[in-house]
Amino acid sequence: MSDLTDDLDTSKQKKLYIKTYGCQMNVYDSERMAESLGPSGYVATDTAEDADMVLINTCHIREKASEKLFSDLGRLRPLKLANPNLKIGVTGCVAQAEGAEILRRMPLVDLVVGPQSYHRLPQMEAEVALGKRAIDTDFPLEDKFDHLPKRTALRGPSAFVTVQEGCDKFCAFCVVPYTRGAEVSRPADRLISEVRTLVENGVRDITLLGQNVNAYHGAAPQGGADWGLAELIRGLACIDGLARIRYMTSHPNDMQDGLIAAHGDCEKLMPYLHLPVQSGSDRILRAMNRKHTTADYLRVIERMRDARPDLMISSDFIVGFPGETDADFQETLALVHAVRYGQAYSFKYSARPGTPAAEKIAVPDDVAHARLQELQALLSEQQRALQDEMVGREVSVLYDKPGRREGQMVGKSDHLHAVSVQDPNGHVGQLVRVKVVEAVTNSLKAVPVAL
Ligand code: SAH
Ligand code: SF4
Ligand code: F3S
């Protein structure tokens, strides 16, 4: 890194600030966008105030998420007035859904690029530098990943790697199939070499990302039948120095036998599964076009727990979907009781323009709100109980960074619990065995185990 920066003429250096909303795929995209603008002279900065270019990497999933773009643009207006050379770009899923409209209504925006075409950012930046405005919201046929520079910017021992993008499922409430397009999987050999580079740079823990990651089917390294996610995980597990593999987000209908089996015998595959169910009512699941029942979902969980008894399960829920009755909601609570979740996200339904459910009559807001409160109370009670059960157990922790206290290290356990350890000799990137001594709100305290 330092060699590279020494060679650069620092007087030509420009500062790039990226604000990221939404899912982990946006986090990954932001890193790749920053890397792609490196050769154009951009280095990262932590504030919009001293930036030459600000990119807002947006999320369209719920109304509240997409509204953040407009409040951010409002805050950037005085900066742009003070510095007309400041370039402002909108990227991500709102850019994809409303790009042309944003450019039309927001004169301060110089650049709009969707999630499938951000490999074209360097050319667009060059146009913008000449005072033009640029927009690209195509779904190009070329593989954007082939046009991105090799990965360099690494922070800590954990990294995300996008292996699959897009979605063909068309749940009635969801914008992702429209903003991210059809399902595409990256070839396995490219992923193996991307992960090798990460590991050579100190990464020990990777999370494979995709809107439907378990539908992964990428070209196999030596030709022949495509690899599924299980083959990819086994291929990556052969990389020396890589200690942990996780993946998200999965759809219950794509939980194949091979993947379930991998949880039983692949040591590097962590005992954690994010498997959204959305609702516990079959009637609502049908209206959501989820294409599975609660019984199908529970069967997958049972098979997963047979393969890996200590598996931690997490989920996403939507309450107040159009037509949801009290009885439907009670079924969601019953499903939560049946599964016992270690972690979960729950949302009030938000009507999204262009999705089939947006046409339906919404549940009154106060009813949806009360249901969300009740569900969240149950989910946090379960999360807390499962966390308390960790006390007294030995777990592995990968240190991410030093803690706030002197001599303290913090990291994640196999089950993705945040753990703090009093370990003055510990260092970032170290994988240690520890004994959990206390469960506090949202984290565990532990001490190193003498070997
Ligand atoms: N691919 C994943 C999730 C993608 S979006 C899956 O299949 O489950 C992440 C979560 O946002 C979803 O699981 C859902 O719970 C929530 N979500 C999506 N659209 C929503 C909407 N219109 N209103 C409220 N929540 C929504
Ligand atoms: Fe959205 Fe459904 Fe696709 Fe998940 S599976 S991204 S919820 S359409
Ligand atoms: Fe949001 Fe797009 Fe991710 S809508 S959740 S940033 S795929």
Side-chain angles (χ1 to χ4, degrees):
M1 271 301 277
S2 61
D3 291 344
L4 257 179
T5 33
D6 288 349
D7 286 348
L8 283 176
D9 176 355
T10 45
S11 66
K12 294 222 183 81
Q13 255 182 25
K14 291 173 279 183
K15 291 192 175 150
L16 172 68
Y17 174 68
I18 306 187
K19 178 127 189 212
T20 308
Y21 293 104
C23 60
Q24 281 88 347
M25 302 198 60
N26 261 13
V27 175
Y28 176 84
D29 290 347
S30 290
E31 283 184 14
R32 307 287 332 240
M33 288 193 279
E35 287 166 13
S36 81
L37 287 171
S40 312
Y42 281 92
V43 293
T45 178
D46 291 337
T47 57
E49 278 70 22
D50 66 353
D52 299 285
M53 179 183 278
V54 175
L55 296 179
I56 307 174
N57 195 9
T58 58
C59 173
H60 198 50
I61 203 82
R62 286 169 291 275
E63 196 179 353
K64 267 202 192 124
S66 59
E67 274 170 357
K68 292 194 174 125
L69 167 65
F70 298 98
S71 47
D72 279 358
L73 287 176
R75 273 195 294 273
L76 288 172
R77 190 165 286 120
L79 290 184
K80 178 98 175 179
L81 285 174
N83 171 17
N85 290 326
L86 171 67
K87 304 299 177 196
I88 297 178
V90 180
T91 67
C93 292
V94 182
Q96 188 62 47
E98 298 171 8
E101 179 72 6
I102 293 167
L103 217 51
R104 202 170 55 76
R105 278 182 36 208
M106 298 283 166
L108 82 164
V109 173
D110 301 287
L111 181 159
V112 169
V113 61
Q116 300 314 323
S117 28
Y118 66 73
H119 56 296
R120 296 179 179 163
L121 256 179
Q123 294 97 294
M124 297 174 76
E125 188 275 336
E127 286 174 36
V128 164
L130 296 173
K132 296 186 191 153
R133 299 176 90 200
I135 178 164
D136 195 336
T137 51
D138 291 347
F139 288 104
L141 288 173
E142 77 232 39
D143 182 354
K144 81 174 166 221
F145 297 102
D146 283 349
H147 294 77
L148 293 171
K150 231 179 157 179
R151 302 209 61 184
T152 48
L154 301 173
R155 268 164 251 114
S158 300
F160 293 134
V161 178
T162 292
V163 305
Q164 176 276 339
E165 280 198 277
C167 180
D168 297 339
K169 299 265 190 304
F170 291 92
C171 299
F173 50 81
C174 183
V175 294
V176 170
Y178 312 97
T179 61
R180 293 270 172 171
E183 259 178 31
V184 188
S185 296
R186 296 177 64 192
D189 57 351
R190 313 272 165 80
L191 294 167
I192 291 172
S193 77
E194 183 169 332
V195 174
R196 273 222 181 89
T197 309
L198 290 169
V199 170
E200 280 159 16
N201 285 284
V203 167
R204 304 201 66 194
D205 167 356
I206 52 161
T207 302
L208 309 177
L209 299 179
Q211 270 92 17
N212 268 295
V213 72
N214 58 343
Y216 174 83
H217 55 94
Q222 275 96 31
D226 280 358
W227 273 11
L229 188 63
E231 283 94 5
L232 179 66
I233 288 168
R234 290 186 192 278
L236 294 171
C238 296
I239 299 176
D240 281 340
L242 180 67
R244 293 173 155 188
I245 304 173
R246 304 175 199 276
Y247 59 92
M248 72 184 296
T249 293
S250 298
H251 191 284
N253 291 358
D254 293 316
M255 226 50 223
Q256 306 292 344
D257 296 351
L259 184 56
I260 297 179
H263 277 273
D265 59 29
C266 180
E267 268 182 37
K268 293 185 181 180
L269 185 55
M270 292 292 101
Y272 189 95
L273 176 69
H274 182 59
L275 194 66
V277 65
Q278 315 297 357
S279 167
S281 152
D282 287 341
R283 212 175 61 82
I284 294 298
L285 288 175
R286 212 173 311 121
M288 286 176 164
N289 193 31
R290 286 289 292 181
K291 302 193 183 82
H292 62 79
T293 61
T294 45
D296 298 332
Y297 180 82
L298 290 170
R299 213 157 20 240
V300 172
I301 301 273
E302 194 185 314
R303 293 184 57 212
M304 286 292 293
R305 281 184 168 149
D306 283 345
R308 182 78 205 223
D310 66 339
L311 189 76
M312 185 74 87
I313 293 165
S314 90
S315 184
D316 295 341
F317 295 90
I318 295 177
V319 300
F321 185 80
E324 184 187 72
T325 63
D326 232 2
D328 293 316
F329 176 64
Q330 292 306 321
E331 289 186 314
T332 298
L333 297 179
L335 177 92
V336 172
H337 280 293
V339 175
R340 286 194 91 207
Y341 288 100
Q343 148 98 62
Y345 301 93
S346 44
F347 312 98
K348 198 158 64 172
Y349 168 73
S350 167
R352 305 307 291 131
T355 59
E359 310 291 314
K360 308 249 176 74
I361 297 165
V363 167
D365 193 58
D366 55 337
V367 174
H369 183 77
R371 287 180 190 162
L372 186 64
Q373 300 280 307
E374 192 174 346
L375 177 61
Q376 288 183 339
L378 174 60
L379 289 167
S380 40
E381 193 185 298
Q382 286 195 342
Q383 181 177 345
R384 185 67 216 226
L386 284 170
Q387 213 183 266
D388 287 347
E389 286 173 20
M390 299 306 292
V391 176
R393 287 209 217 160
E394 272 187 29
V395 298
S396 292
V397 176
L398 178 66
Y399 290 153
D400 295 326
K401 54 181 184 218
R404 252 175 286 153
R405 294 224 188 102
E406 181 77 29
Q408 191 187 50
M409 296 299 294
V410 296
K412 293 279 175 355
S413 73
D414 293 351
H415 293 102
L416 218 51
H417 282 122
V419 185
S420 65
V421 186
Q422 203 56 38
D423 185 359
N425 300 319
H427 56 86
V428 171
Q430 194 183 1
L431 193 62
V432 283
R433 287 297 286 174
V434 300
K435 187 173 175 174
V436 179
V437 291
E438 193 186 344
V440 288
T441 319
N442 295 324
S443 70
L444 300 172
K445 285 187 178 170
V447 292
V449 175
L451 292 176

